[in-house]
Every structure is written in structure tokens, then in C-alpha cells.
Amino acid sequence: MLRVLYLVHDLSDPATARRVAMLQAGGAEVVLAGFRRSRESIPEIGGVRPVDLGMTHDGRFAQRLAAIARAKLALGTKFKHIRKPDVIVARNLEMLALARRLRTQFGSDVPIVYECLDIHRLLLRQDAAGRAMRMAERRLGRAAALLITSSPAFLREYFEPRGQVDAPVLLLENKVLELSDMQPASVPNVPPLGEPWKIGWFGALRCRRSLELLSAFTRRMQGRFEVILRGRPAYSEFHDFETTVAAEPYMRFEGPYRNPDDLAAIYGAVHFAWTIDFFEAGLNSKWLLPNRLYEGCRHGAVPIAMEGTETGRFLTQQGIGLSLLEPSADALAVLLGSMDATSFAEHRARLSAKPTETWICGLGDCRALVARLAGLKRARAADALLEAAA
């Protein structure tokens, strides 16, 4: 059985549990280690008790760098009783730095995989700090035997033109992990008479501009549309998030949810999925294909994307969803204002016609991932034999 050491920047992120589940379903034994953004320790994920490297804070990169420095000093102690892995998968740049140090501890024959599902804004700055970060990524990336990323735009716009990581690439989209044959619930075809159309904005709530836009739009539409927010707000990006939302007449925040357990229920209660994110406009937000895109489409919510983004391009290629021409309440009113039962049914029909595999990651995908990782181990062993024979 392939033994994978998975290093993550946030143990409390639902994406961590999904990747652990995917690796386990594919037949790997997972050892998990990482930092956490929650104050409480994480007792277990997928039956795995993680190695806790300490707490870090969202949006405070200097604090994260200090935490990495402290963690490096403690690796010998924390991993003293951890058996040598076959592969190390490092989620994000800071974990790639720790993976390099751990490979020294475990042995140079352990391949490292760099999993990068977001391009941090510091890596895109044009000042000395940005250049230093990119230089660090290029240096650390030399150790990577494989790069895993989630959007073609990350390769096209960042990794390839800048030459950041010279390694084979595995495109692993942020699809919904489904390991059973359960069918999702469907959203209402049309709202009952007198009830509003509902837009769901779920997941990582970090975009102040989206909040302002949706606020202006729903007020303008005077109750014809309502916005439901669920997930984890990035409080560093908002001034008093809960109070702001509570003051909106046509928006409401219904707290966190369990992923994937609650996906069918929360998307089944809305008509549209808000997939727009201006958090890092023109950069990461323009290039990503977010979780909520696949989640919403899988569960029947018509996606709303921004024209000129990778998500908008994806919707155009698939012939589904709605694309907003400009980020304004006026433009959103033009896009949605004439929505009726007939047009909504047409959008739903196009969405329903797509193969389920467009949105989900199944058991076969899990096995393919673990097989790809196992191939790295075999390739490294073959290389070692050639070196010994030379």
C-alpha cells in the first residue's frame, strides 16, 4: 500500500478532508500533518490523527513565515516516530519548504509533489517581495516530481510563462468527491407565487465586493431576488460581517455547513450559484475554477460567473450558466431581471444534459491519482538503480 505524507497549510479547511478521503479511496495509507486556522486542535480527519504543527492566521503572511521557521526546528521531534513515506504531497508553498526539509530527514529517494490550488497574491506582486517569493518557489520547486493544480489558467497565466516549476503536471479540478451512487436533490423549478428567486453564495466568503454588489442588486430588485450565504467568512476582509448581512433586507447568513454532507440540501434550496470572486481580481480570482462551480452544477443550481474569467470561459465552453458582463448591480439586473419559469427551465435543461463526470470525482479518479503517485515512487527507485550502476 502506497504511504503518502500529506502536508497542509490548514487542517481545518474542508479541502483537506476531501483530499485525504480521495487518497484513502484510491488505496493509499495517509499520514497527515499541517497547521490549522482554528483555535481548537483537530483530533482526526478521515480516521487519521494529524501531526499538529501549530496555529496560523489568515491574511497574516509574516506570522505564517514565523510558524514555518518554528516548525522546521521541531520536525525532528514531531516526525521521529513517523515511518518513512513513499511520497510527500505538499499543499501550498510553505508546505513545500517543509517537504524539502523532511525529505532530508527521511531520505533523498522520497519524491515530492507540489499541490498548488491557488496562486497567493504575494507571488504576483511586482516589487522586491514578489520577486523574492517567486524566486523561492522556483528554488523549492526544483524538488518537485509532479505539480498538481486545479485550473488550466494557473498553468497558462502563471506557471508556464514564468517558468516556476519544471515538473510534469496533473490537472485535478475542484470537483465534488462522490464515492457512492446517491443522487442529489434537485432545486425548485420556479419559486412559488410571491416567493423570490434565490442565489446561493457558499464556501469561503472572502469577497467584500461581491457582498456589496449583491446587496445593491437585491435592494434594487425589491425582494424579487434573495441571497443566501453559507460557509466560513474571512473576517479579516469584512468589517463586522454578521451585522452587515443582518442589516440587508434580502440577504441572510445561515452559518457553516458540512461538506459534502450538506451540499445537496443547501444547493437544493436555491436557484442560482454565485461563483464570482473579486478577492484577487485580475489574478487568482480570474484564473481559478472554484469548488462552488462544481458543487452548484452537480446539485442543479444555475451558475453565475464573471465574463472574461476562467469560470466564465468554462461556462461558455460547456454552453451553460450565466455570465455577468460587468461587476455592477445594473448589469446583474439586466442579466437576471427578466428571469421567468421558461428561461429558468431552459438553463436547468442545459445543465442537466451534462455528464455527471463533469462535476464529480469518483472512485476511478481516486485510484488514478494514487496510481500516478505510485508511479513517482517507481520512477525514483529506477533512477536510484541507474545511478548505482553507473
Side-chain angles (χ1 to χ4, degrees):
M1 178 180 286
L2 188 74
R3 186 174 175 82
V4 178
L5 171 57
Y6 190 34
L7 303 175
V8 299
H9 69 294
D10 184 6
L11 291 166
S12 55
D13 187 338
T16 297
R18 287 197 300 273
R19 186 67 81 234
V20 168
M22 190 175 179
L23 291 167
Q24 290 174 330
E29 177 187 353
V30 180
V31 178
L32 180 63
F35 299 100
R36 54 182 163 79
R37 300 285 169 83
S38 61
R39 292 189 176 278
E40 302 78 21
S41 61
I42 311 295
E44 63 89 24
I45 296 175
V48 178
R49 184 175 180 178
V51 177
D52 192 329
L53 300 178
M55 184 178 177
T56 58
H57 300 280
D58 188 30
R60 293 172 55 184
F61 202 74
Q63 187 270 336
R64 287 164 64 182
L65 288 175
I68 294 165
R70 289 193 298 272
K72 280 185 174 182
L73 296 175
L75 291 181
T77 301
K78 286 185 176 289
F79 288 84
K80 181 169 59 177
H81 301 295
I82 300 295
R83 190 156 52 91
K84 180 180 177 179
D86 297 311
V87 180
I88 300 174
V89 179
R91 171 78 180 267
N92 282 14
L93 182 57
E94 60 259 51
M95 307 316 293
L96 185 58
L98 294 184
R100 284 272 300 257
R101 179 63 63 88
L102 279 170
R103 189 167 72 174
T104 301
Q105 183 171 323
F106 286 122
S108 60
D109 59 332
V110 180
I112 294 175
V113 177
Y114 179 27
E115 183 181 38
C116 182
L117 307 185
D118 286 291
I119 310 298
H120 196 280
R121 59 185 177 272
L122 281 178
L123 285 162
L124 298 166
R125 283 169 49 166
Q126 298 306 309
D127 58 6
R131 289 191 293 272
M133 289 293 294
R134 289 190 294 276
M135 186 181 298
E137 184 179 54
R138 285 193 293 271
R139 180 176 58 81
L140 294 170
R142 295 192 196 109
L146 181 69
L147 169 66
I148 295 178
T149 194
S150 57
S151 170
F154 290 151
L155 300 171
R156 186 177 65 247
E157 304 291 342
Y158 177 73
F159 283 108
E160 291 173 355
R162 296 177 184 272
Q164 289 300 106
V165 179
D166 184 19
V169 175
L170 175 60
L171 184 64
L172 203 59
E173 296 171 77
N174 291 315
K175 296 183 179 183
V176 179
L177 180 61
E178 285 193 16
L179 302 176
S180 69
D181 296 326
M182 294 181 63
Q183 295 298 312
S186 60
V187 300
N189 288 325
V190 295
L193 185 64
E195 293 293 318
W197 295 98
K198 294 178 181 176
I199 301 171
W201 180 18
F202 305 142
L205 307 175
R206 59 184 184 175
C207 180
R208 185 170 59 249
R209 192 173 179 186
S210 283
L211 188 65
E212 293 168 351
L213 194 162
L214 289 168
S215 168
F217 167 71
T218 53
R219 286 175 179 268
R220 171 176 174 151
M221 302 306 288
Q222 297 182 331
R224 280 192 60 210
F225 287 82
E226 183 179 53
V227 175
I228 314 299
L229 299 94
R230 298 288 303 266
R232 302 194 307 171
Y235 292 104
S236 60
E237 304 302 322
F238 301 99
H239 176 68
D240 202 349
F241 174 83
E242 278 88 356
T243 300
T244 299
V245 175
E248 291 297 324
Y250 310 114
M251 302 176 71
R252 65 178 188 268
F253 176 54
E254 296 187 348
Y257 58 92
R258 297 171 302 161
N259 189 333
D261 307 67
D262 297 335
L263 291 180
I266 65 174
Y267 282 102
V270 300
H271 303 93
F272 305 96
W274 185 258
T275 68
I276 296 173
D277 187 346
F278 303 106
F279 179 63
E280 292 172 353
L283 301 173
N284 187 71
S285 292
K286 185 177 180 180
W287 302 335
L288 57 75
L289 292 172
N291 293 309
R292 57 176 67 98
L293 166 66
Y294 301 92
E295 294 169 355
C297 290
R298 171 56 175 145
H299 297 289
V302 176
I304 302 172
M306 193 72 214
E307 188 77 20
T309 65
E310 189 67 14
T311 306
R313 184 178 294 110
F314 178 90
L315 296 188
T316 299
Q317 290 172 345
Q318 296 290 334
I320 59 172
L322 296 158
S323 290
L324 185 62
L325 293 178
E326 61 178 48
S328 69
D330 289 344
L332 192 53
V334 170
L335 184 67
L336 293 176
S338 61
M339 186 63 59
D340 57 20
T342 301
S343 57
F344 182 71
E346 291 172 352
H347 284 296
R348 284 292 311 282
R350 287 193 288 270
L351 195 56
S352 300
K354 292 297 169 184
T356 305
E357 292 74 23
T358 310
W359 319 120
I360 72 165
C361 170
L363 185 57
D365 300 294
C366 300
R367 289 171 176 164
L369 170 61
V370 172
R372 184 70 182 270
L373 299 180
L376 300 177
K377 176 190 174 184
R378 290 193 297 271
R380 186 56 62 93
D383 290 342
L385 286 174
L386 290 173
E387 289 175 5

